[in-house]
Amino acid sequence: MARFAFVLACALALLASSVASGAIVEHSFNVNNLTVTRLCKEQSITVVNGSYPGPTIRVREGDTLVVHVFNQSPYNITIHWHGIFQLLSAWADGPVYVTQCPILPGHKYTYRFKITGQEGTLWWHAHVSWLRATVHGALIIHPKAGRSFPFPKPYKEIPVILGEWWNGNVVDIENEGLATGIAPNNSNAYSINGLPGDLYDCSQNQTYQVKVVKGKTYLLRIINAALNNQLFYKIANHNMTVVAIDATYTTPYITDVVVVAPGQTTDVLITANQQTGSYYMAATPYMSANINFDNTTTRGIIVYENSTSSSPIMPALPNPGDTPTAHKFNTNITGLAGGPQWVPVPTNVDEHMFVTVGVNLELCPVNATCQGPFNNKLSASMNNESFQLPTNLSMMQAQFYNVSGIYTTDFPDQPAVKFDYTDSNISLDLSLIYAPKSTKVKTLKFNSTVEIVLQNTAFLAIENHPIHLHGFNFHVLAQGFGNYDPINDPKKFNLINPQIRNTIGVPVGGWAVIRFTANNPGMWFMHCHLDVHLPWGLGMVFEVENGPTPWVLSPPPADLPQC
């Protein structure tokens, strides 16, 4: 009880401090279609305010952000503020049918929330179908006025948004894949700030460039907005110092390569300390599974002031299957203990969960033709439950109004059947590979601490799965390969200065252990951030119960979209 009172007092103090200060930052998002030319082809894409990527939002910690979304596109839309805690503003989180119904074409909705206890680089994106391929932008949170970064002030800050591009309508491409039961078409290119770069056809004049001054230090805010691929990122002849991930500060880590999974952000400092000239920055896929993928490279150019070079230097890039390089990067980062917004690891765990993640099969519907393995449809699951969104009411509306029949509260704490999770011999084991469709949640008491072992499985394709948790950051206590060992692996836990994230790439054929405190009532989605896997069912939802006032789920806004 004393622990609960202490944590609650700290939370209330944090909330009070945020209420006492901060500006109101207001934006309007007009979602509409835009005709652009990429890779020799003209096509219409869905964007915000006529730009791709969309507008960068800049706020300070403690500010209230108000965004009016006007849907002038032909598609349903919602906007998710990826990584924002949404303390006491759960209705603004954005995942369709979890916290809200979609904003219909011709309709509008206003998102309003306070930025509390967060600094750094996050981003916003659509959370309906594959629209986030082009509906996304940076969300940059600066420290409060008078406070500084815990690293030398950079000369300039530069958002670097890594994306994917399809020659075609992404909604149609996704729907075709879902109808046939196989993976949708791969992307045709990657991009840096919306531009594919000069390695692609018709793209010599569509290469992102940034000018730098010799001797100056720059903060690159790297965001992976790609739908389905983790990416290696390098800059020729320049080291980078990682100073933050997912809007949490890190112990400075010097590296020549950064690995970012879809949904993750990484802040790095680079100093223009090379000979005056021009240097390529490049991103290429990290693909851990033995499957077909877009094996191409996007690049931009860093040009030194007064440079006369017309031949930029190209970095040597890792092989797409270079798991050792990816794992080294992902495990060498530690949190900046005691730094701004640092949260110590909670030591008392109330809920222990063991959650398997992977690709499955779904039986082909009667009178349909499916092209997946054994003439079935590809699916995905957590603990062999393949998540299915409701369609007639959002889950949080059902929670608030106590409406039955929308979801059940029996998501399992562990898989129903225990097996050798990472043995490749189970890849096509028909006794294990089918997962039932369900809409199940795990109910958590307010302020309970949850520890989850995320265990990859070897079904169909052994790969790295980026798992994103809405509404909370989590401490990454440990990660490794093979099956999690409950006896020996806890000895590896970092309880002093672990990295803090909102999206974790669970190692290929391996596991990761995360821990978080459920200190905000509402419905919070945990899902794979590979958009090819999300509609297949690789997700679940945490239902966090009300706490003492003011930690209760408030009534929905009057303009909340209805189904």
Side-chain angles (χ1 to χ4, degrees), residues 169-460:
N169 182 298
V170 291
V171 174
D172 293 342
I173 290 169
E174 181 195 20
N175 289 338
E176 181 181 358
L178 293 174
T180 57
I182 58 176
N185 292 341
N186 291 324
S187 56
N188 299 100
Y190 301 104
S191 62
I192 298 176
N193 289 339
L195 299 173
D198 56 12
L199 287 176
Y200 297 100
D201 291 342
C202 305
S203 301
Q204 292 299 313
N205 296 322
Q206 293 190 335
T207 302
Y208 174 71
Q209 291 195 25
V210 57
K211 290 187 177 181
V212 299
V213 177
K214 189 176 177 66
K216 299 294 186 181
T217 297
Y218 296 79
L219 177 62
L220 306 186
R221 298 180 177 272
I222 305 168
I223 300 167
N224 187 348
L227 264 61
N228 295 318
N229 281 286
Q230 303 187 63
L231 295 165
F232 291 114
Y233 175 86
K234 293 189 74 172
I235 302 172
N237 291 13
H238 290 74
N239 281 335
M240 297 172 278
T241 301
V242 177
V243 292
I245 54 173
D246 291 1
T248 63
Y249 294 116
T250 65
T251 305
Y253 173 60
I254 299 174
T255 179
D256 68 342
V257 61
V258 165
V259 185
V260 275
Q264 291 182 336
T265 71
T266 304
D267 291 359
V268 301
L269 296 174
I270 69 159
T271 300
N273 56 8
Q274 298 299 302
Q275 286 187 340
T276 298
S278 55
Y279 301 83
Y280 278 117
M281 63 171 73
T284 198
Y286 164 50
M287 176 50 68
S288 56
N290 185 23
I291 58 176
N292 186 32
F293 65 101
D294 177 3
N295 189 11
T296 63
T297 298
T298 179
R299 60 188 187 183
I301 305 174
I302 292 179
V303 182
Y304 278 59
E305 187 179 56
N306 300 321
S307 170
T308 58
S309 170
S310 58
S311 300
I313 298 172
M314 181 67 181
L317 294 169
N319 183 284
D322 192 349
T323 289
T325 292
H327 191 65
K328 176 184 177 181
F329 178 85
N330 286 327
T331 55
N332 276 5
I333 294 174
T334 55
L336 188 62
Q341 313 303 339
W342 169 255
V343 177
V345 181
T347 55
N348 297 318
V349 178
D350 303 298
E351 298 276 359
H352 288 270
M353 300 180 69
F354 184 95
V355 178
T356 57
V357 298
V359 179
N360 299 83
L361 287 181
E362 176 187 353
L363 290 173
C364 190
V366 177
N367 299 324
T369 301
C370 300
Q371 300 175 25
F374 307 108
N375 297 316
N376 286 315
K377 300 178 68 172
L378 291 172
S379 180
S381 71
M382 288 185 169
N383 278 353
N384 207 49
E385 296 288 341
S386 186
F387 184 76
Q388 185 168 267
L389 287 166
T391 57
N392 58 339
L393 193 70
S394 78
M395 297 176 72
M396 201 155 72
Q397 285 174 300
Q399 177 192 23
F400 183 82
Y401 293 112
N402 197 26
V403 177
S404 61
I406 303 300
Y407 62 87
T408 60
T409 58
D410 54 344
F411 182 84
D413 287 343
Q414 58 188 11
V417 177
K418 296 182 180 180
F419 53 96
D420 188 349
Y421 305 109
T422 56
D423 182 358
S424 59
N425 290 323
I426 69 165
S427 180
L428 295 174
D429 189 330
L430 298 184
S431 69
L432 296 171
I433 204 167
Y434 290 95
K437 293 291 182 183
S438 64
T439 309
K440 295 184 177 183
V441 308
K442 166 70 175 179
T443 301
L444 300 174
K445 294 290 185 184
F446 173 78
N447 226 42
S448 59
T449 295
V450 186
E451 182 177 292
I452 307 173
V453 177
L454 294 165
Q455 175 68 62
N456 251 322
T457 57
F459 294 143
L460 297 180

Side-chain angles (χ1 to χ4, degrees), residues 90-113:
W91 296 105
D93 192 42
V96 67
Y97 297 118
V98 178
T99 61
Q100 68 169 98
C101 297
I103 307 170
L104 301 178
H107 291 244
K108 62 182 179 180
Y109 177 54
T110 295
Y111 293 91
R112 177 187 292 269
F113 52 91

Side-chain angles (χ1 to χ4, degrees), residues 29-36 45-55:
F29 276 12
N30 294 298
V31 184
N32 46 35
N33 281 2
L34 175 72
T35 299
V36 299
I45 60 173
T46 304
V47 299
V48 169
N49 293 354
S51 66
Y52 165 66

